[in-house]
Amino acid sequence: MKKTLQLQGLRTIGCFLIVACHAAFKFDGGIGNAIFFALAGFLVVKPFMEEDYKINSFREVLVFYLKKIVTICIPYWLIIFSTNALFEGWTNIFKGEWDKVWLAACFYDCPAHFWFLQQILVMYLFTPLIILLHMGCKRIIKWKYFNIIFGAFLIGLALIFYFFVNENVIFFYSGGAKAPFRVYSYLIGMGFAYFYTIIVQNKITLNKLAQHLAAIIPFSLIVLSIFSVYIFKINVGWTYQFLSGILAALVIFLLTWLNNSWLSIGLRFKPLVEIGNVTYVIYIIHVFVIPQITAETPRYALIVVLIVSIALAYLLQKVLFDPINKLCQKFIYPKILGTQAQ
């Protein structure tokens, strides 16, 4: 799938919010998490918008899971094991204790900053079931705009999880404490992706002037979410998590639709896109970098953490993780699917 480059730029903004929050800078890290969850849900549907996402065999489900292991688990495992083995004094996360590393590698009682991985992997685990449900319902309800109903259903399901499924119902252990299943932003992102299929299938477009004017909406939402701590004196991303998921998914929806707006063009700025391509590795590596940085103010600490984390992430992605992914794309996935490598 060809990436929507402005979404990679948005991914950079989300990553910046999370790193800044962890580096003790007063930005809304909760919004950053909402962006990543909503992006994950949106993009899992987006590649198949021209035709409905169809799962025709168990092999396709297996490849779906393997791709998530290669892109999510392998970088995480390699980084946590190597840092603990080679740089025991480099981090205070595991403190050289291998039992903690193994628990984290099994996604049980992860250090607090890695709770995201527990959640997103479980969401991906159930995604094929959602796709299959969509396929089954589509065969029964043969309505041109059925995806509007299904998108609304997913957002309603997210609302149920938000209000009624707390840490006493479904929970993860993270940082030694119970953490609720924050599936809502992911489901909301999927819901908005199904809404967007209507835009694609009906070829609904806006002229350039209308796109430029409409871009004010996502721009305003991005600015308000970034500075919510200063403007509203509350952390909107954590205080209003369902609302944050809606805002994040709406921004993603509009940026994808308003492809030629000034905001989308700005977010396709090459450095933003390049950083966006390695944000996952930045997310993992920055928590090991932060304890090593001392600075007079959070601002200088954040700058140094960002520079070091981006450099390390870019190096690891290009030298290690991209080659692993390409090998899998060329040899492993086609073999499982019974097709010839291209």
Side-chain angles (χ1 to χ4, degrees):
M1 178 194 70
K2 184 178 179 181
K3 293 180 179 177
T4 306
L5 296 183
Q6 60 265 34
L7 298 186
Q8 294 302 97
L10 179 64
R11 197 187 296 274
T12 299
I13 293 176
C15 183
F16 172 77
L17 291 173
I18 293 171
V19 175
C21 181
H22 290 169
F25 205 80
K26 288 186 177 180
F27 273 169
D28 196 339
I31 291 290
N33 283 300
I35 288 173
F36 277 106
F37 278 129
L39 268 172
F42 190 90
L43 293 176
V44 83
V45 175
K46 185 180 179 297
F48 303 91
M49 285 182 178
E50 297 295 340
E51 300 176 10
D52 289 333
Y53 190 149
K54 294 180 180 179
I55 298 176
N56 297 312
S57 70
F58 174 75
R59 290 183 176 186
E60 292 181 10
V61 176
L62 180 59
V63 168
F64 175 84
Y65 289 145
L66 284 176
K67 285 182 178 179
K68 300 311 173 186
I69 291 173
V70 170
T71 56
I72 297 176
C73 298
I74 288 180
Y76 172 64
W77 288 334
L78 290 176
I79 289 173
I80 65 172
F81 279 110
S82 62
T83 52
N84 198 65
L86 303 175
F87 308 103
E88 184 175 323
W90 199 50
T91 175
N92 61 1
I93 294 178
F94 296 113
K95 302 178 182 178
E97 299 176 15
W98 283 102
D99 58 335
K100 292 182 178 180
V101 180
W102 283 106
L103 285 175
C106 295
F107 303 99
Y108 180 81
D109 201 12
C110 291
H113 294 328
F114 293 139
W115 66 268
F116 174 87
L117 302 181
Q118 296 173 309
Q119 309 250 344
I120 198 67
L121 284 173
V122 173
M123 294 174 196
Y124 282 136
L125 181 64
F126 288 100
T127 294
L129 297 179
I130 297 175
I131 303 302
L132 289 170
L133 176 63
H134 175 266
M135 289 171 55
C137 293
K138 184 96 174 183
R139 291 193 182 101
I140 298 171
I141 306 175
K142 300 181 181 299
W143 184 45
K144 182 178 180 180
Y145 301 108
F146 166 74
N147 283 352
I148 294 177
I149 297 175
F150 197 78
F153 162 74
L154 291 176
I155 293 174
L157 188 62
L159 196 63
I160 292 172
F161 268 91
Y162 181 70
F163 282 108
F164 301 107
V165 184
N166 56 32
E167 60 270 21
N168 295 319
V169 180
I170 299 177
F171 63 89
F172 300 87
Y173 275 111
S174 179
K178 288 183 178 180
F181 187 25
R182 298 185 177 94
V183 68
Y184 15 90
S185 293
Y186 183 83
L187 289 174
I188 293 168
M190 287 190 75
F192 271 80
Y194 281 112
F195 293 157
Y196 187 72
T197 62
I198 303 300
I199 300 291
V200 174
Q201 292 165 1
N202 292 278
K203 299 179 180 179
I204 302 173
T205 60
L206 297 176
N207 61 46
K208 286 189 176 181
L209 177 60
Q211 287 203 37
H212 291 320
L213 292 174
I216 295 173
I217 298 172
F219 177 76
S220 301
L221 293 176
I222 291 171
V223 172
L224 287 173
S225 64
I226 289 175
F227 296 103
S228 65
V229 176
Y230 298 98
I231 298 173
F232 304 112
K233 306 302 180 183
I234 56 173
N235 193 318
V236 173
W238 290 119
T239 307
Y240 302 104
Q241 293 182 39
F242 186 85
L243 175 62
S244 298
I246 292 289
L247 292 177
L250 178 59
V251 168
I252 294 163
F253 174 92
L254 290 173
L255 285 176
T256 308
W257 185 25
L258 309 176
N259 190 56
N260 295 315
S261 69
W262 58 270
L263 181 58
S264 293
I265 293 170
L267 287 174
R268 290 199 292 268
F269 181 51
K270 191 170 182 179
L272 287 179
V273 173
E274 288 293 327
I275 295 173
N277 291 334
V278 298
T279 48
Y280 175 62
V281 184
I282 293 173
Y283 171 80
I284 300 173
I285 204 73
H286 83 276
V287 296
F288 296 101
V289 174
I290 287 174
Q292 312 310 314
I293 305 302
T294 57
E296 294 181 359
T297 65
R299 181 181 304 170
Y300 292 124
L302 174 60
I303 292 172
V304 176
V305 167
L306 281 172
I307 291 173
V308 174
S309 299
I310 291 170
L312 287 173
Y314 194 82
L315 178 65
L316 288 170
Q317 188 72 47
K318 298 302 178 182
V319 173
L320 188 59
F321 304 135
D322 279 350
I324 291 174
N325 190 42
K326 287 178 181 178
L327 286 173
C328 292
Q329 294 281 359
K330 187 173 182 180
F331 298 108
I332 297 178
Y333 306 147
K335 186 174 182 180
I336 295 173
L337 292 172
T339 60
Q340 296 296 320
Q342 297 297 320

